[in-house]
Every structure is written in C-alpha cells, then in structure tokens.
Amino acid sequence: MNDEIKVAIVGQPNVGKSSIINALSNAKLHVGNFSGVTVEKKEVFLKRDIFDIKMTDLPGIYALNAYTPEEQVAKDFLLNEDYDIVVNVVDANTLSRNLIFTMQLLDMHKKTILVINMVDEIEKKGGSIDKSKIEELLGIPVILTSAKENRGVEEIISQIIKLHKTPLAKNKIFYNEKIEERIERLAKILRKSPHFKSNDVSRFMAIRLLDRDEDVYKMIHDLPIFIEAHNALEKMYKDLELEFDEESTTDILANERAAISYNLQMETIDLDEEEESLSEKLDNFLIHPVFGLPIFLFFMWTLFQLTFVLGNYPMNVIDAIFSETSSFLADFLPKGIFNSVLTEGVLPAVGAIVMFLPNILILFLGLNLLEQTGYMSRASYLMDGFLKRFGLQGKAFVPLVSGFGCTVPAYMAARTLKNPKDRIITMLVLGFMSCGARLPIYVLLVSAFFANHNPGNMLFFIYIGGAFLGLIVAKILRTVLFRGEPEPFVMEMPPYRFPSFKALAMDLWIKTKMFLKKAGTFIAIAAMAIWFLSSYPVDNKLVQNYHAKIEQTTNISKKQNLENELKAKLLEDSYLGSVGKFIQPVFAPLGFDWRLSIAVVTGLSAKEVVVSTLGTLYAMSGADETSKGLVSKMRQNVDFKAAVALIIIIMIYSPCLAAMGTFYAEVPQWAWRTFYTIYPNVVAWLLAFGVYKVLALMGY
Amino acid sequence: MTQLDKLEKGKRAIIESVDLDRDTKRRFSNMGISPGVILRVCRRTFGSDSLHVKLECAACVALSKNEAKHINVTPIGGKGGLGLGYCRRGGFKAKDFCCEREDCQLQKED
Ligand SMILES: Nc1nc2c(ncn2[C@@H]2O[C@H](COP(=O)(O)OP(=O)(O)O)[C@@H](O)[C@H]2O)c(=O)[nH]1
C-alpha cells in the first residue's frame, strides 16, 4: 500500500496555478466539481517512489476573508477538509500583496510550501529573488518556478515528499506584542473546548476571531465556551481598536501583515525601478478612454468574421464527406431498417453537427485568447461604465462573454460576483448571449437566407444584437425586481502575457473530444429517436396506392414527384409529424411549419439538436436532385420571415437542459427557477411574432 | 489630502484611509488597496466611470468612481515609476510615514 499525501494548492487568481499543474509530468488530471456547488475542481494524481500524491487545485482566493462565493469554496476547503500539505503559489511580480495571504495561511500552522512563480519575468526585468532569505524569514521551504519555462516545477513534488517526511517546523510569524497577548488569552479560552484542544488550532481560531471571521464565529457559536469567548472578544476588539487607533481589528491585522510582507519583499527582491512596462504601453492604446470601446468591438467583429470565413472551408469539406458517405452507404448496404437508420437518421444528423466543429473551435480559440492574454479584464474595465447604465457592473462582463462560448461555465463564472442580486440578474440574462452550440443554427440560416449579405457581419449582428437585448432585459429587471446599486467594482488587471500555445491546444483538444463524444453519443441517439419517430407508423395502403400510381407513369420526373409526395405524406403521418402538428399552432403565428416547430422544441435538450433534427427531417422529405445540401433545402421550404423569426427564437428562448440544470444548481429559490424557465420563452415568442408581423407589413 | 477619483492622471499618491463598508474595505485591502500603499492613476474609462490604478506592489487594479470617492489620498511629488518603497507602513497613519530615503518626496499636508 502506497503512502498517500494530500496536497491543497492555493493562491490568488492569475498566479499561474493551472500552468504549474499542466507542467507536471506523468500526472493524471481529473476535472469535477466541489461537492454541492458547481465550482470546477481540478485534481491531479501523481505517483513518485512509494507515494501517491493527490493535489487539489482550489479556486483563486485573495485572502481568507472570502468575498465571493467562489472564494468561499476555497476557504471552506482550507478550513474543513483533510489535507497534509499546503502549496501556496504566488506571483513574484506582486510578491508583497501575495504574501499577505501567505501570512494568513501560515496562521494555520500546517506544512506549507511557498512556490514563487513567474521568476522569468523578474529576471527579464533584471531583478533577483533571495530565496534562502525568504525561507529563513518565513520558516518554510520556498521554490522558485517559471511554469512558462517549465523550471522548478518538478522540485515542488520532491519538496512535497521531503516535507511529508519531516516534522512540522516551528511557527515564525508573530504579530505585534499587544496582539499576540490577546491571541494567547483567547486561545486559552478556546482550548477549554475539545474541538480546539491543540495549540495550533486554538491559536489559528483566535487569530481568525480577532480578524472578525464570521465563519469561525459561527463555529464557536453553539459551544459552551461561547459566552466567555464572546465577552473576551468584544473587549479585545474595543481595546485594540483604541490602542491602535483603527476602526476595526481587521484593519489592524491587515496592517500588520502588510507591513511584514512589504518589508519581506524589500529585503528579498532586488528590482530596478520600473520604467513604463510593455503592458502600460499597450494599455495606453487598448484601453484608451475614447478608442478602447471601439477597439473592443472591432476585436469581437473580427472574431465572428474569422469564425465564418475560416470555418467555411473545412465546413464544406466535412459536409461533403458526410453526404458522400451517406449516399455511398445507402447504395452499398443491403436495403432495410439499418440502412435507413444509418443513412437517413444518424449520418445526416451527426454530419450536420460535426461540420460546425471548426466554427465552434475558432470561436472558443478567440475567447480563450482574450482570456489568456489578459485582455478580458481590460474589457471588463472598459465595459464597467457602460454596463452600469444597464444595472450591471464590469465584473459581470466575464460571465457574459463566456456565454458566447457555453452557457454552463458562464453560469459558474457568475460566482465571481458577490452580491446575490447582481448574480441573479447576470444569470437571468446570460441566455441572451448566444452560445457556441447555437452558432450552427445561425450559420445555417444566414447561409440560406442572407446569402447576399456578408455572413460574418450577420453573425456579429446576431450575437451583439442578442447581447444588447440581454442588457435591456437586465435594465428592466434591475428597475422592476432588483432595486439597488450593483456591488462595488474592483478588479485585478494582470499584465498582458503571451498566451501559452500548449494551454490553448490542450483546451481546444478537450473541447473537440467533448464535442465529438456528444455528437457520437447523445446526438446520435437523439437522431435515431427522431428518425424512428418520423419513420413510423407506415400507412401500407397509402404506400401501395402511390406505388401503383408510380408504376403507371412513364415520365421520369413525374415518377420522382410522386415519390417525393409519398415521402412527405408518410412523414406528416408519422409520430413526429403528429406531435409537430400538435404543437404547430403555437408556432403558426411565426410562420413555422411543423418541422421547424419540432426542431425548436427538440433544441431544448441541446441546441445542436436543432440542426440535426432539421437535417433528418429535410433529408427524408422531398429530396430532389437540385437540392442536395441542407442549406438549399431550407431555402426552398422556409420563408424569409419565418427564418428571421426562427433566429430570434433561437437567440432568446431557454438554453439547453445542461445549462438549465446548472442554473437550478446555482439558484436555490423556486421563484427564480420558475421565472427563469418561463420568461425567456415568452419574450422570445413575442419578439419573434412582432418582427414577423413587421416584415410581413414591409412586404417580405 | 484629496479623493482618489479627483487625483490627476499620472500622479502618485499615498492612501490615507478607505472609508467604505467593512466588507468592501476588506476586499480592497486584500487586493492591495489599503492605507499606506502608494499608487498611481493610469487612466479612466469613458465618462470617467472607473479608474485604472497601479499599486506599488506592481499590481494593476480597476475600480469604479463610486468607490474611489471614498478613498482618501495624499499626493506625492516627483514623477516616474513607482517603487520608492521605503516608506514604512503598518501601524502608522499615513501622515506619520517616515521615509528612510532622501528622495522620498511625500508632501506632508495637514
Ligand atoms: N511569464 C510567465 N507567465 C506565466 C507563468 N505561469 C503562468 N503564466 C501565465 O500567467 C497567466 C495566468 O496563468 P494561469 O495558470 O491561468 O493562472 P491561475 O489563474 O493561477 O490558474 C497565463 O497567461 C499563463 O500563461 C510563468 O511562470 N511565467
């Protein structure tokens, strides 16, 4: 049996934790969720010598006084979970601020390793870090790393093993005597309770209490020592605040830690005075007070142009491969159910989705680039003033833009908003940000109905239009349901960094795998179901009638017409046809036939299914030799007004089941869940209807 | 002493006090905005709704004007980059900051 070492990796956001984890060799990565919440949990498993090392990557956290729900997850883990070693990753560039958090971690008095990352950037500026001095001052092992250059990363593992074998070293961080005296007095009271018997735990809890940590306060609330501890604490607050002339003991401790970290940085980092950095030069241009916003819009516009233009080439190839394979197999395989399921059901459906993989990858790549280079937080800053006008704040921008990729992680990203009102508003309008899975539908409809416009522009317009609608809804929600100011906006702006190609490639690879897996399983099954429902029951009499008629005619094109008529009739009488006709009245005012109606409804399971359903339904009905691809079939069968109405429905109505599940997981109140489930569909229908009528009046 | 939102662009200042509610104040302090810290305003967005400031620890932070109004700062003379850095802090009020270096140009105001 191997010895297991449990490691918690913590650090402030953007210090390079993920990069370090990616750089570890022979590591098995497992991505899941923290129990009960939808915050992503990355676990890494490693084997070295006789040790099984399990590392848990905690969400970025600025300090133990957690502020956002996401930080709370990290804090809860640190306070309550079982682990042997803390690996604290810090950014060498902002060492003093990072060390303030390190100081809080050291209060726990657990085995801790300090990993100072991004040393390459310090070296580039001609600076150096005195590692042994930091070790001496803090009393813990320090490792200098550059995840970018893959330096020092393996040393973390050997240090973990080494530290595991050695006993816990003495604590070296002490506060001002006046504070220490109180800590000791309070700890003594806490030790009377069996929960806080150990000296380390009672000291840590005492410090947290003096820091006015509400979570810890709740912990002692139901214990017999509470009254005594509470009274002592109240007096200490008062006395210390008076002695230090500060408003709160939190400030006193913060000042203490700041002073220690600041001096520590001064003693150990040798850095020349900085000139205007590259980031600042870039910022002068990219977040210019006047030009910043247009530049941002230009980036987004370029992204959608690229999505369409570059994505188009592989799209046509993939489309051709699938339709050729389909017709080849249709002739090659013996006729029968299997043949039909495969060539009329599964292949057209899966093909209809896979052909959009390139577009989706380009979109994700673009969004990833924005994030990785550090531009995303600039964009948040630029948008803060603008978003305020709609009752949101700059930080809501990151979830909103992630919504263009996938709504599920975007809901999770809303956890960086502290204020529950801000979070709910943001989440309620997130569906207006069209996700990557809706892209295929737009591409299809734009190609079919806006062929003589620039398709990239149309896509940009659809995405930005959706986003703008979302903002208007946010404003309405803020005025009607959630009065009050958005939470204060404060956000880190990390320096611009060159993106890591490995990280980008990894991410795209994971996305591709997940996408193909989904297309191969969920969507293939859905396609089979749709095929089955649209192929049965078969009215044999009708078939016989038509076959007789077909036999009698000699004209080839008439034969073909009759055959198509038969197919269309059979489809209409199928189970799916009946369901479609049943729901069609709802969509009739928007000009949808039963096929579009079905496609919209199946889209509630996953947006990709809309296109695959259309693929199957139009492949089965009325195929003639002039309309091979889905695009031209749509053009023949759907009128322009209905197509525009469809775009609007897709843009606004409920997102997929996975996204809805995530929303339910994030928002416990049934009132909001119900509202969320109904209102987008109502808004979508009303708006689509309005636009349909206006277009009709304009003579389309 | 002046308010951070009124500080001219490019000018450096030392934070004297942060008069915000406890939660927000704590957040700002965790992100590096607390009394004793030297900062410089890099720019503002359109409509001057938010500011982009650079802190002496080299971190850049964006914050909105609503909050900047409640951060009191004392401008420091001299131009150029940050990192004078020998002004001691912690346990002192900004006006007591003593500088060990001759080139520290903290303007003491009362
Ligand atoms: N120059 C440099 N950049 C790094 C290093 N480690 C990470 N980065 C970059 O810093 C950014 C944030 O890194 P990430 O791993 O996402 O940080 P996390 O938020 O802590 O997980 C990315 O753009 C990385 O490419 C490093 O050692 N040196």
Side-chain angles (χ1 to χ4, degrees), chain A residues 10-22 42 57-60 89 91 93 116-122 124 145-151 153 371-374 494-501 503:
Chain A
V10 285
Q12 297 190 340
N14 278 311
V15 293
K17 276 190 303 137
S18 318
S19 308
I20 287 183
I21 288 172
N22 288 339
K42 268 197 208 149
D57 181 19
L58 302 183
V89 184
D91 174 356
N93 297 297
I116 304 182
N117 192 32
M118 314 224 185
V119 287
D120 56 303
E121 293 192 344
I122 295 289
K124 219 157 85 203
T145 62
S146 162
K148 187 179 167 194
E149 298 172 357
N150 209 343
R151 263 199 286 154
V153 178
E371 176 79 52
Q372 277 231 358
T373 49
Y496 287 109
R497 292 207 165 90
F498 214 73
S500 137
F501 289 109

Short mmCIF file of all heavy atoms in Angstrom, two decimals, chain A residues 10-22 42 57-60 89 91 93 116-122 124 145-151 153 371-374 494-501 503, ligand 1:
data_model
loop_
_atom_site.label_atom_id
_atom_site.label_comp_id
_atom_site.label_asym_id
_atom_site.label_seq_id
_atom_site.Cartn_x
_atom_site.Cartn_y
_atom_site.Cartn_z
N VAL A 10 -3.11 26.42 -3.33
CA VAL A 10 -3.87 27.65 -3.21
C VAL A 10 -3.05 28.83 -3.70
O VAL A 10 -1.83 28.80 -3.73
CB VAL A 10 -4.27 27.97 -1.75
CG1 VAL A 10 -5.39 27.08 -1.30
CG2 VAL A 10 -3.10 27.87 -0.82
N GLY A 11 -3.75 29.89 -4.05
CA GLY A 11 -3.07 31.09 -4.47
C GLY A 11 -4.09 32.10 -4.94
O GLY A 11 -5.25 31.77 -5.15
N GLN A 12 -3.64 33.34 -5.09
CA GLN A 12 -4.52 34.37 -5.59
C GLN A 12 -4.80 34.09 -7.07
O GLN A 12 -4.07 33.32 -7.69
CB GLN A 12 -3.88 35.75 -5.38
CG GLN A 12 -3.69 36.03 -3.89
CD GLN A 12 -3.28 37.46 -3.59
OE1 GLN A 12 -2.80 38.16 -4.45
NE2 GLN A 12 -3.47 37.88 -2.35
N PRO A 13 -5.83 34.69 -7.64
CA PRO A 13 -6.12 34.44 -9.05
C PRO A 13 -4.94 34.87 -9.93
O PRO A 13 -4.20 35.79 -9.57
CB PRO A 13 -7.34 35.33 -9.32
CG PRO A 13 -7.96 35.54 -7.99
CD PRO A 13 -6.85 35.55 -7.01
N ASN A 14 -4.77 34.16 -11.04
CA ASN A 14 -3.79 34.54 -12.06
C ASN A 14 -2.33 34.38 -11.69
O ASN A 14 -1.46 34.96 -12.33
CB ASN A 14 -3.97 36.00 -12.49
CG ASN A 14 -5.06 36.12 -13.51
OD1 ASN A 14 -5.06 35.36 -14.48
ND2 ASN A 14 -5.98 37.01 -13.28
N VAL A 15 -2.03 33.62 -10.65
CA VAL A 15 -0.63 33.47 -10.29
C VAL A 15 0.05 32.36 -11.08
O VAL A 15 1.27 32.19 -11.02
CB VAL A 15 -0.46 33.18 -8.78
CG1 VAL A 15 -0.88 34.38 -7.96
CG2 VAL A 15 -1.23 31.95 -8.37
N GLY A 16 -0.75 31.59 -11.83
CA GLY A 16 -0.18 30.53 -12.66
C GLY A 16 -0.34 29.14 -12.09
O GLY A 16 0.42 28.23 -12.42
N LYS A 17 -1.34 28.97 -11.25
CA LYS A 17 -1.57 27.64 -10.67
C LYS A 17 -1.86 26.61 -11.75
O LYS A 17 -1.28 25.53 -11.77
CB LYS A 17 -2.75 27.69 -9.68
CG LYS A 17 -2.34 28.16 -8.32
CD LYS A 17 -3.48 27.96 -7.33
CE LYS A 17 -4.74 28.67 -7.78
NZ LYS A 17 -5.93 27.89 -7.62
N SER A 18 -2.79 26.95 -12.64
CA SER A 18 -3.14 25.99 -13.70
C SER A 18 -1.93 25.66 -14.54
O SER A 18 -1.72 24.51 -14.91
CB SER A 18 -4.23 26.54 -14.60
OG SER A 18 -5.19 27.18 -13.86
N SER A 19 -1.13 26.68 -14.84
CA SER A 19 0.05 26.43 -15.68
C SER A 19 1.00 25.47 -14.98
O SER A 19 1.58 24.60 -15.62
CB SER A 19 0.78 27.75 -15.96
OG SER A 19 -0.12 28.69 -16.45
N ILE A 20 1.15 25.63 -13.67
CA ILE A 20 2.04 24.73 -12.93
C ILE A 20 1.49 23.31 -12.99
O ILE A 20 2.22 22.35 -13.24
CB ILE A 20 2.19 25.21 -11.48
CG1 ILE A 20 3.07 26.46 -11.46
CG2 ILE A 20 2.78 24.13 -10.59
CD1 ILE A 20 3.37 27.00 -10.10
N ILE A 21 0.20 23.17 -12.80
CA ILE A 21 -0.40 21.83 -12.82
C ILE A 21 -0.23 21.21 -14.21
O ILE A 21 0.10 20.03 -14.34
CB ILE A 21 -1.88 21.92 -12.40
CG1 ILE A 21 -1.93 22.19 -10.91
CG2 ILE A 21 -2.62 20.65 -12.74
CD1 ILE A 21 -3.28 22.48 -10.38
N ASN A 22 -0.44 22.02 -15.24
CA ASN A 22 -0.26 21.49 -16.60
C ASN A 22 1.17 21.06 -16.87
O ASN A 22 1.42 20.20 -17.69
CB ASN A 22 -0.66 22.54 -17.64
CG ASN A 22 -2.16 22.73 -17.68
OD1 ASN A 22 -2.91 21.86 -17.24
ND2 ASN A 22 -2.60 23.87 -18.18
N LYS A 42 -10.27 20.79 -9.84
CA LYS A 42 -9.25 20.04 -10.59
C LYS A 42 -8.44 19.23 -9.61
O LYS A 42 -7.89 19.77 -8.65
CB LYS A 42 -8.33 21.01 -11.31
CG LYS A 42 -8.76 21.33 -12.71
CD LYS A 42 -7.59 21.95 -13.43
CE LYS A 42 -8.05 22.87 -14.53
NZ LYS A 42 -7.13 23.97 -14.73
N ASP A 57 -6.60 21.50 -6.73
CA ASP A 57 -6.40 22.90 -7.11
C ASP A 57 -7.61 23.70 -6.64
O ASP A 57 -8.71 23.48 -7.12
CB ASP A 57 -6.26 22.96 -8.63
CG ASP A 57 -6.03 24.37 -9.12
OD1 ASP A 57 -5.62 25.21 -8.31
OD2 ASP A 57 -6.25 24.63 -10.32
N LEU A 58 -7.41 24.60 -5.70
CA LEU A 58 -8.54 25.37 -5.19
C LEU A 58 -8.75 26.63 -6.03
O LEU A 58 -7.81 27.15 -6.63
CB LEU A 58 -8.28 25.77 -3.73
CG LEU A 58 -8.03 24.61 -2.77
CD1 LEU A 58 -7.86 25.13 -1.34
CD2 LEU A 58 -9.19 23.62 -2.81
N PRO A 59 -9.99 27.12 -6.08
CA PRO A 59 -10.24 28.35 -6.83
C PRO A 59 -9.37 29.49 -6.31
O PRO A 59 -9.04 29.52 -5.11
CB PRO A 59 -11.71 28.66 -6.54
CG PRO A 59 -12.30 27.41 -6.04
CD PRO A 59 -11.19 26.60 -5.43
N GLY A 60 -8.98 30.41 -7.19
CA GLY A 60 -8.15 31.54 -6.79
C GLY A 60 -8.82 32.32 -5.66
O GLY A 60 -10.02 32.56 -5.68
N VAL A 89 0.95 29.07 -4.12
CA VAL A 89 1.60 29.64 -5.31
C VAL A 89 1.42 31.14 -5.28
O VAL A 89 0.31 31.63 -5.07
CB VAL A 89 1.00 29.06 -6.60
CG1 VAL A 89 1.74 29.58 -7.82
CG2 VAL A 89 1.03 27.53 -6.58
N ASP A 91 2.74 35.07 -7.14
CA ASP A 91 3.30 35.70 -8.32
C ASP A 91 4.46 36.59 -7.87
O ASP A 91 4.29 37.50 -7.06
CB ASP A 91 2.19 36.53 -8.98
CG ASP A 91 2.68 37.37 -10.15
OD1 ASP A 91 3.89 37.37 -10.42
OD2 ASP A 91 1.83 38.01 -10.79
N ASN A 93 5.92 38.91 -9.28
CA ASN A 93 5.77 40.32 -9.63
C ASN A 93 5.05 41.13 -8.58
O ASN A 93 5.29 42.31 -8.42
CB ASN A 93 5.00 40.46 -10.94
CG ASN A 93 5.73 39.83 -12.09
OD1 ASN A 93 6.81 40.26 -12.44
ND2 ASN A 93 5.15 38.78 -12.64
N ILE A 116 7.13 30.45 -5.57
CA ILE A 116 7.15 31.78 -6.18
C ILE A 116 7.28 31.60 -7.69
O ILE A 116 8.33 31.23 -8.20
CB ILE A 116 8.30 32.63 -5.62
CG1 ILE A 116 8.17 32.69 -4.09
CG2 ILE A 116 8.28 34.03 -6.22
CD1 ILE A 116 9.23 33.54 -3.42
N ASN A 117 6.18 31.86 -8.38
CA ASN A 117 6.12 31.61 -9.82
C ASN A 117 6.44 32.88 -10.61
O ASN A 117 6.48 33.96 -10.05
CB ASN A 117 4.72 31.08 -10.16
CG ASN A 117 4.64 30.52 -11.56
OD1 ASN A 117 5.61 29.98 -12.08
ND2 ASN A 117 3.49 30.66 -12.19
N MET A 118 6.64 32.73 -11.88
CA MET A 118 6.90 33.83 -12.82
C MET A 118 8.24 34.48 -12.54
O MET A 118 8.41 35.68 -12.78
CB MET A 118 5.80 34.90 -12.76
CG MET A 118 4.41 34.32 -12.76
SD MET A 118 3.37 35.21 -13.86
CE MET A 118 1.81 34.41 -13.56
N VAL A 119 9.19 33.72 -12.05
CA VAL A 119 10.51 34.31 -11.81
C VAL A 119 11.15 34.75 -13.12
O VAL A 119 11.97 35.67 -13.14
CB VAL A 119 11.46 33.35 -11.07
CG1 VAL A 119 11.06 33.21 -9.63
CG2 VAL A 119 11.54 32.01 -11.74
N ASP A 120 10.71 34.13 -14.23
CA ASP A 120 11.27 34.56 -15.52
C ASP A 120 11.01 36.03 -15.77
O ASP A 120 11.85 36.74 -16.33
CB ASP A 120 10.70 33.70 -16.65
CG ASP A 120 9.19 33.71 -16.73
OD1 ASP A 120 8.53 33.36 -15.72
OD2 ASP A 120 8.65 34.09 -17.76
N GLU A 121 9.85 36.50 -15.32
CA GLU A 121 9.52 37.91 -15.56
C GLU A 121 10.39 38.84 -14.71
O GLU A 121 10.78 39.92 -15.15
CB GLU A 121 8.04 38.16 -15.31
CG GLU A 121 7.19 37.43 -16.35
CD GLU A 121 5.72 37.83 -16.36
OE1 GLU A 121 5.27 38.46 -15.39
OE2 GLU A 121 5.04 37.50 -17.35
N ILE A 122 10.68 38.40 -13.48
CA ILE A 122 11.56 39.20 -12.62
C ILE A 122 12.96 39.26 -13.25
O ILE A 122 13.59 40.32 -13.32
CB ILE A 122 11.65 38.57 -11.21
CG1 ILE A 122 10.30 38.62 -10.52
CG2 ILE A 122 12.72 39.25 -10.37
CD1 ILE A 122 9.88 40.00 -10.09
N LYS A 124 13.74 38.92 -16.30
CA LYS A 124 13.73 39.73 -17.51
C LYS A 124 13.86 41.21 -17.19
O LYS A 124 14.44 41.99 -17.94
CB LYS A 124 12.43 39.47 -18.29
CG LYS A 124 12.69 39.44 -19.78
CD LYS A 124 11.66 38.69 -20.59
CE LYS A 124 10.46 39.47 -20.97
NZ LYS A 124 9.29 38.63 -21.27
N THR A 145 9.83 29.14 -9.34
CA THR A 145 9.43 28.43 -10.56
C THR A 145 9.11 29.39 -11.68
O THR A 145 8.81 30.56 -11.46
CB THR A 145 8.15 27.58 -10.35
OG1 THR A 145 7.08 28.47 -10.02
CG2 THR A 145 8.32 26.54 -9.29
N SER A 146 9.17 28.84 -12.88
CA SER A 146 8.58 29.50 -14.04
C SER A 146 7.81 28.42 -14.77
O SER A 146 8.40 27.57 -15.42
CB SER A 146 9.66 30.09 -14.94
OG SER A 146 9.10 30.33 -16.20
N ALA A 147 6.51 28.46 -14.62
CA ALA A 147 5.68 27.45 -15.28
C ALA A 147 5.83 27.58 -16.78
O ALA A 147 5.78 26.61 -17.53
CB ALA A 147 4.23 27.60 -14.86
N LYS A 148 6.05 28.81 -17.21
CA LYS A 148 6.16 29.06 -18.64
C LYS A 148 7.38 28.35 -19.21
O LYS A 148 7.32 27.76 -20.28
CB LYS A 148 6.28 30.57 -18.86
CG LYS A 148 6.24 30.99 -20.29
CD LYS A 148 6.35 32.50 -20.37
CE LYS A 148 6.62 32.94 -21.78
NZ LYS A 148 7.06 34.34 -21.80
N GLU A 149 8.48 28.42 -18.49
CA GLU A 149 9.71 27.79 -18.99
C GLU A 149 9.91 26.42 -18.37
O GLU A 149 10.98 25.83 -18.50
CB GLU A 149 10.91 28.69 -18.68
CG GLU A 149 10.81 30.03 -19.37
CD GLU A 149 11.89 31.00 -18.93
OE1 GLU A 149 12.69 30.66 -18.04
OE2 GLU A 149 11.91 32.12 -19.48
N ASN A 150 8.89 25.93 -17.70
CA ASN A 150 8.95 24.62 -17.06
C ASN A 150 10.17 24.46 -16.13
O ASN A 150 10.85 23.46 -16.12
CB ASN A 150 8.97 23.52 -18.12
CG ASN A 150 8.34 22.25 -17.60
OD1 ASN A 150 8.18 22.11 -16.38
ND2 ASN A 150 7.98 21.34 -18.48
N ARG A 151 10.40 25.50 -15.36
CA ARG A 151 11.52 25.47 -14.42
C ARG A 151 11.01 25.28 -13.01
O ARG A 151 10.05 25.93 -12.62
CB ARG A 151 12.25 26.81 -14.48
CG ARG A 151 13.47 26.78 -15.40
CD ARG A 151 14.37 27.93 -15.06
NE ARG A 151 13.85 29.21 -15.53
CZ ARG A 151 14.16 30.37 -14.96
NH1 ARG A 151 14.96 30.42 -13.92
NH2 ARG A 151 13.66 31.50 -15.45
N VAL A 153 9.32 23.14 -11.54
CA VAL A 153 8.02 22.54 -11.27
C VAL A 153 8.16 21.16 -10.61
O VAL A 153 7.47 20.84 -9.65
CB VAL A 153 7.19 22.46 -12.56
CG1 VAL A 153 5.86 21.79 -12.30
CG2 VAL A 153 6.95 23.86 -13.11
N GLU A 371 -9.02 35.76 -22.94
CA GLU A 371 -8.86 35.48 -21.52
C GLU A 371 -7.38 35.36 -21.16
O GLU A 371 -6.89 35.98 -20.25
CB GLU A 371 -9.61 34.18 -21.21
CG GLU A 371 -9.49 33.68 -19.80
CD GLU A 371 -10.41 34.42 -18.86
OE1 GLU A 371 -11.61 34.49 -19.19
OE2 GLU A 371 -9.93 34.92 -17.83
N GLN A 372 -6.69 34.52 -21.93
CA GLN A 372 -5.29 34.20 -21.59
C GLN A 372 -4.35 35.38 -21.69
O GLN A 372 -3.39 35.46 -20.94
CB GLN A 372 -4.80 33.09 -22.51
CG GLN A 372 -5.19 31.73 -22.04
CD GLN A 372 -4.00 30.80 -21.99
OE1 GLN A 372 -2.87 31.19 -22.33
NE2 GLN A 372 -4.22 29.59 -21.56
N THR A 373 -4.59 36.26 -22.65
CA THR A 373 -3.66 37.37 -22.82
C THR A 373 -3.86 38.43 -21.75
O THR A 373 -3.02 39.30 -21.58
CB THR A 373 -3.87 38.05 -24.19
OG1 THR A 373 -5.26 38.28 -24.34
CG2 THR A 373 -3.39 37.17 -25.32
N GLY A 374 -4.97 38.35 -21.03
CA GLY A 374 -5.23 39.38 -20.02
C GLY A 374 -6.13 40.48 -20.54
O GLY A 374 -6.43 41.45 -19.85
N PRO A 494 -4.29 41.90 -14.71
CA PRO A 494 -2.98 41.26 -14.82
C PRO A 494 -2.23 41.80 -16.03
O PRO A 494 -2.85 42.29 -16.96
CB PRO A 494 -3.33 39.78 -15.02
CG PRO A 494 -4.71 39.76 -15.54
CD PRO A 494 -5.38 40.99 -15.05
N PRO A 495 -0.90 41.73 -16.00
CA PRO A 495 -0.15 42.22 -17.16
C PRO A 495 -0.50 41.39 -18.39
O PRO A 495 -0.93 40.25 -18.28
CB PRO A 495 1.31 42.02 -16.78
CG PRO A 495 1.33 41.17 -15.58
CD PRO A 495 -0.01 41.23 -14.95
N TYR A 496 -0.32 42.00 -19.56
CA TYR A 496 -0.53 41.23 -20.79
C TYR A 496 0.51 40.12 -20.84
O TYR A 496 1.67 40.34 -20.51
CB TYR A 496 -0.35 42.12 -22.01
CG TYR A 496 -1.49 43.07 -22.21
CD1 TYR A 496 -1.35 44.43 -21.97
CD2 TYR A 496 -2.74 42.60 -22.64
CE1 TYR A 496 -2.40 45.30 -22.15
CE2 TYR A 496 -3.79 43.47 -22.82
CZ TYR A 496 -3.62 44.82 -22.58
OH TYR A 496 -4.67 45.66 -22.75
N ARG A 497 0.07 38.95 -21.23
CA ARG A 497 1.02 37.85 -21.33
C ARG A 497 0.82 37.17 -22.66
O ARG A 497 -0.29 37.06 -23.16
CB ARG A 497 0.80 36.84 -20.22
CG ARG A 497 1.13 37.38 -18.87
CD ARG A 497 1.53 36.29 -17.92
NE ARG A 497 2.17 36.89 -16.76
CZ ARG A 497 1.51 37.26 -15.68
NH1 ARG A 497 0.22 37.09 -15.60
NH2 ARG A 497 2.15 37.81 -14.67
N PHE A 498 1.92 36.67 -23.18
CA PHE A 498 1.82 35.91 -24.40
C PHE A 498 1.11 34.61 -24.08
O PHE A 498 1.46 33.96 -23.10
CB PHE A 498 3.21 35.65 -24.96
CG PHE A 498 3.21 35.63 -26.44
CD1 PHE A 498 3.07 36.82 -27.15
CD2 PHE A 498 3.30 34.44 -27.13
CE1 PHE A 498 3.04 36.81 -28.53
CE2 PHE A 498 3.28 34.43 -28.51
CZ PHE A 498 3.14 35.61 -29.21
N PRO A 499 0.09 34.23 -24.83
CA PRO A 499 -0.64 33.01 -24.46
C PRO A 499 0.24 31.78 -24.60
O PRO A 499 1.14 31.75 -25.42
CB PRO A 499 -1.78 32.97 -25.47
CG PRO A 499 -1.34 33.81 -26.60
CD PRO A 499 -0.43 34.85 -26.04
N SER A 500 -0.03 30.80 -23.77
CA SER A 500 0.73 29.56 -23.88
C SER A 500 0.04 28.66 -24.91
O SER A 500 -1.13 28.33 -24.78
CB SER A 500 0.78 28.89 -22.51
OG SER A 500 0.56 27.51 -22.61
N PHE A 501 0.80 28.31 -25.95
CA PHE A 501 0.20 27.52 -27.03
C PHE A 501 -0.23 26.16 -26.53
O PHE A 501 -1.23 25.61 -26.97
CB PHE A 501 1.15 27.40 -28.20
CG PHE A 501 1.30 28.69 -28.93
CD1 PHE A 501 2.47 29.43 -28.86
CD2 PHE A 501 0.23 29.21 -29.65
CE1 PHE A 501 2.57 30.65 -29.50
CE2 PHE A 501 0.32 30.42 -30.29
CZ PHE A 501 1.50 31.15 -30.21
N ALA A 503 -1.36 25.43 -23.56
CA ALA A 503 -2.63 25.53 -22.85
C ALA A 503 -3.78 25.70 -23.84
O ALA A 503 -4.84 25.07 -23.71
CB ALA A 503 -2.59 26.69 -21.87
N1 LIG C 1 5.87 34.64 -17.82
C1 LIG C 1 5.21 33.69 -17.16
N2 LIG C 1 3.88 33.58 -17.35
C2 LIG C 1 3.23 32.62 -16.69
C3 LIG C 1 3.89 31.73 -15.80
N3 LIG C 1 2.97 30.90 -15.27
C4 LIG C 1 1.78 31.24 -15.81
N4 LIG C 1 1.92 32.27 -16.67
C5 LIG C 1 0.86 32.94 -17.43
O1 LIG C 1 0.02 33.63 -16.50
C6 LIG C 1 -1.33 33.59 -16.88
C7 LIG C 1 -2.19 33.03 -15.77
O2 LIG C 1 -1.85 31.68 -15.57
P1 LIG C 1 -2.89 30.58 -15.07
O3 LIG C 1 -2.16 29.30 -14.98
O4 LIG C 1 -4.12 30.62 -15.89
O5 LIG C 1 -3.21 31.16 -13.62
P2 LIG C 1 -4.23 30.66 -12.49
O6 LIG C 1 -5.37 31.60 -12.59
O7 LIG C 1 -3.48 30.83 -11.22
O8 LIG C 1 -4.56 29.25 -12.77
C8 LIG C 1 -1.36 32.77 -18.17
O9 LIG C 1 -1.41 33.67 -19.24
C9 LIG C 1 -0.08 32.00 -18.15
O10 LIG C 1 0.37 31.71 -19.45
C10 LIG C 1 5.31 31.89 -15.63
O11 LIG C 1 5.97 31.19 -14.87
N5 LIG C 1 5.90 32.89 -16.34
#
